[in-house]
Amino acid sequence: MAFTAIVVFAAVLALGLIFFRLHSLPERLGHKKLQFEIVAVLGLLSLFTHVHAFWVAGLLLALIDLPDFQTPLKRMASSLEKLSEEKAPPEIAPVPLPAPPQPEPGA
């Protein structure tokens, strides 16, 4: 009886470890990528709601490399700054608001 209890406990523990290891696959694949936070949230949603579509979406998102749009845009902005010979746009002075009309006395 004791041996059976130990075997059942070890089997449940091993299956739990395998399940959580498989479940964290998208997070491990998407590590060091731009979309890591989205993949992690999808993994948590699938874990707590038991909707496997979130896990599949997270796995697919982890496998896809999103293109880097930020670097070329920064390079274009710095090149345009050099062409215009300005480092930063000039500060615009705030325009004072007109005073509200005063009611006429005795009216």
Side-chain angles (χ1 to χ4, degrees):
M1 177 94 163
F3 177 73
T4 305
I6 291 171
V7 168
V8 167
F9 179 74
V12 168
L13 185 64
L15 286 174
L17 287 174
I18 290 170
F19 172 75
F20 284 121
R21 193 91 170 134
L22 179 64
H23 195 329
S24 68
L25 182 65
E27 286 95 347
R28 286 187 279 128
L29 287 175
H31 192 66
K32 297 181 182 177
K33 287 188 181 179
L34 176 68
Q35 65 266 31
F36 175 70
E37 290 86 9
I38 300 169
V39 171
V41 168
L42 286 171
L44 282 175
L45 280 173
S46 71
L47 181 66
F48 291 125
T49 62
H50 301 291
V51 177
H52 301 297
F54 291 131
W55 186 84
V56 171
L59 182 63
L60 290 175
L61 186 60
L63 291 174
I64 295 172
D65 286 330
L66 294 178
D68 181 24
F69 292 115
Q70 191 173 10
T71 303
L73 290 175
K74 283 185 179 181
R75 290 181 61 201
M76 281 188 267
S78 65
S79 296
L80 287 172
E81 274 184 3
K82 288 177 187 175
L83 286 174
S84 68
E85 298 177 358
E86 285 186 20
K87 290 295 180 190
E91 291 293 323
I92 299 173
V95 178
L97 296 174
Q102 299 293 329
E104 294 180 22

